[in-house]
Amino acid sequence: MAETDVVIIGAGLAGLGAAAAVRGAGGRAVVLEASGRTGGRARTDHPAALGGVWFDMGAVWLHNAEHNPLVPIARAAGDTLLRSDAIRQERTFIGDRLATEAELAAYSGAEPRYVAAADAILAEQEDVSLAEVTRRLPGDPWAATIEAWEGPVICAVDADRFSARDWRRNALAGSNLVPDGGIGAFVRRRLTQGLDIRLNSPATRVCWGNSGGEVTVETERGSITGGACIVTVSTGVLASGTLPFDPILPARVSEAVRQLPMGLVVKVVLRATGADRLGLPGHCFVDRILTRAGDPLIPFQCWPFGRDYVQGWIGGSTAWDLAKQGEAAAVDFALGYLRQAFGSRVDRLFAGGATLVTHWDADPWVRGAYCYAVPGAALARDVLGEPVSNGHLMFAGEACHVGLAGTLGGAWISGQAAARTALAATGFAGR
């Protein structure tokens, strides 16, 4: 006999979305969360290093706000949503000088040209790496910078390891909103109420495929059986083998996991010790033009919400390398990058100041930032989201959504869709 209608592994956005959908249908769901908190990669802290202000360690934005299902939830609850795109100002450097108006105009036209080049290639070939798009634009002085933004910075992976078709299938549009007080705090406040969530309960085995369809999930505290099971852990966890399945997963599922490895973005925060603000306005984004494809790009958000720090995003292989070297290496790398634009005043401004470096690579329940599809595997997300055991076993999360991959909204939508399939598999007709 099933003890619950659906067992859900993971209390990130996909798991919470699935549990909310089961509850909304009148069913019962138990959510098993390995860590001691909900939200997954939506995590708001109040670091002492930053003076106790709220700070999002992982996800920051509600992307594609006009079509993001989390936005109406926030608005209905009366939460303040800050328009990140409207309040930020941008500064682009070429070497140690600001780009001219003419250069900025040329830069703004580079992305549509890059997208058009990618679409032309994909109209003739099944897939290529994102780096191949750049190689097809040898005379374009902005292509290397667009590649760095779209690869390491936004999608957490070097362009030569990344499927151009997956990139195009998940191109983000619309505006970006930030819940005041942090996105992780919003998740805990608005998306966990009334759910049966059991923290510090890592699943140790998933037993599926029996004749009745029920799935039993083993934990250190005992086992629980559901009419169906939804697994929402990252592909990094799935690939690690720390969550065994009995019997083993179908080859198509295992192959999809392999084709969706985890990328990494490291946030490096530097707190100022002086009054200098580098000649920049508050809530200013700073980037630079690259002269060579493959060079690292670190965009910095400077003085966000009037605060006294800057934070940089380092992605792809550079992020993995710095994560191995330690926090000091990441801080030195960020300082060196800022020196290219602002010179020695950077050292005077941040000397002795507090720092913060994120460590999603070291989190055993995540093992990276979010996943990407390798070249030639643009359909891996679709495969991972397909029903297993006639829908009694489902996978959900940012890895399984096409359109909003790598985002909280995509994870939520994926979890809700998986819940509907799982309930149908059990023959649930409502209570």
Side-chain angles (χ1 to χ4, degrees):
M1 291 290 294
E3 302 163 65
T4 188
D5 295 308
V6 183
V7 181
I8 300 167
I9 301 177
L13 269 293
L16 297 176
V22 172
R23 181 186 61 184
R28 302 165 300 170
V30 173
V31 183
L32 302 174
E33 169 55 43
S35 74
R37 62 177 184 83
T38 58
R41 284 159 271 179
R43 173 184 166 188
T44 303
D45 284 354
H46 293 80
L50 304 184
V53 298
W54 63 265
F55 181 82
D56 281 320
M57 303 293 286
V60 176
W61 297 285
L62 295 176
H63 296 88
N64 195 10
E66 292 75 14
H67 303 285
N68 190 315
L70 301 176
V71 170
I73 294 175
R75 286 178 171 155
D79 288 335
T80 298
L81 296 175
L82 307 172
R83 293 192 170 276
S84 176
D85 304 322
I87 64 177
R88 78 181 188 187
Q89 300 185 58
E90 298 183 1
R91 298 290 186 272
T92 297
F93 280 78
I94 298 178
D96 60 356
R97 66 171 178 84
L98 285 169
T100 66
E101 289 299 322
E103 288 167 333
L104 290 174
Y107 183 27
S108 67
E111 185 168 5
R113 188 165 58 248
Y114 196 92
V115 168
D119 289 345
I121 295 170
L122 295 173
E124 299 176 353
Q125 298 180 237
E126 181 179 341
D127 200 6
V128 295
S129 73
L130 188 65
E132 180 61 25
V133 180
T134 308
R135 286 192 283 269
R136 300 288 185 94
L137 296 167
D140 193 322
W142 318 104
T145 307
I146 300 300
E147 174 190 288
W149 266 107
E150 299 298 337
V153 174
I154 295 176
C155 295
V157 56
D158 293 357
D160 60 349
R161 304 178 184 179
F162 182 28
S163 160
R165 189 171 295 279
D166 184 60
W167 169 61
R168 290 298 293 132
R169 294 182 84 204
N170 292 285
L172 294 174
S175 59
N176 300 307
L177 301 182
V178 178
D180 194 13
I183 206 163
F186 157 72
V187 169
R188 290 196 307 272
R189 185 172 63 248
R190 304 301 183 199
L191 305 182
T192 63
Q193 301 305 309
L195 303 180
D196 185 352
I197 303 172
R198 305 179 187 183
L199 301 178
N200 300 305
S201 301
T204 56
R205 184 176 298 273
V206 178
C207 301
W208 64 281
N210 64 59
S211 59
E214 293 88 358
V215 179
T216 298
V217 180
E218 299 175 0
T219 76
E220 294 178 354
R221 299 182 177 185
S223 300
I224 184 168
T225 298
C229 175
I230 302 173
V231 180
T232 72
V233 302
S234 74
T235 57
V237 172
L238 291 174
S240 72
T242 55
L243 178 58
F245 290 80
D246 184 12
I248 63 172
L249 293 171
R252 63 179 177 82
V253 177
S254 298
E255 180 64 6
V257 170
R258 186 192 68 79
Q259 294 172 332
L260 293 167
M262 295 293 284
L264 182 64
V265 174
V266 171
K267 294 184 187 181
V268 180
V269 186
L270 311 170
R271 193 175 182 190
T273 55
D276 184 7
R277 290 299 177 259
L278 302 174
L280 301 171
H283 212 82
C284 180
F285 266 75
V286 175
D287 72 342
R288 64 186 301 108
I289 300 302
L290 302 181
T291 58
R292 184 175 61 181
D295 284 351
L297 174 66
I298 311 178
F300 281 87
Q301 184 185 40
C302 301
W303 327 123
F305 310 110
R307 298 171 181 175
D308 59 356
Y309 63 76
V310 303
Q311 61 175 321
W313 284 263
I314 306 172
S317 62
T318 302
W320 286 110
D321 291 343
L322 290 172
K324 294 175 183 176
Q325 296 174 43
E327 289 192 6
V331 169
D332 286 346
F333 193 83
L335 286 169
Y337 207 88
L338 283 174
R339 284 190 206 104
Q340 296 179 55
F342 301 103
S344 60
R345 66 194 292 191
V346 167
D347 299 293
R348 294 190 296 271
L349 177 57
F350 296 108
T355 62
L356 183 151
V357 179
T358 58
H359 293 283
W360 290 101
D361 59 296
D363 187 323
W365 312 123
V366 182
R367 298 173 181 253
Y370 34 84
C371 74
Y372 61 91
V374 300
L379 298 181
R381 299 183 190 279
D382 308 74
V383 173
L384 188 59
E386 292 174 354
V388 180
S389 187
N390 296 317
H392 289 277
L393 178 62
M394 297 292 298
F395 292 86
E398 57 88 10
C400 300
H401 193 271
V402 176
L404 285 173
T407 72
L408 301 182
W412 177 270
I413 295 169
S414 173
Q416 296 230 306
R420 291 190 290 271
T421 300
L423 284 175
T426 66
F428 179 80
R431 292 189 176 85

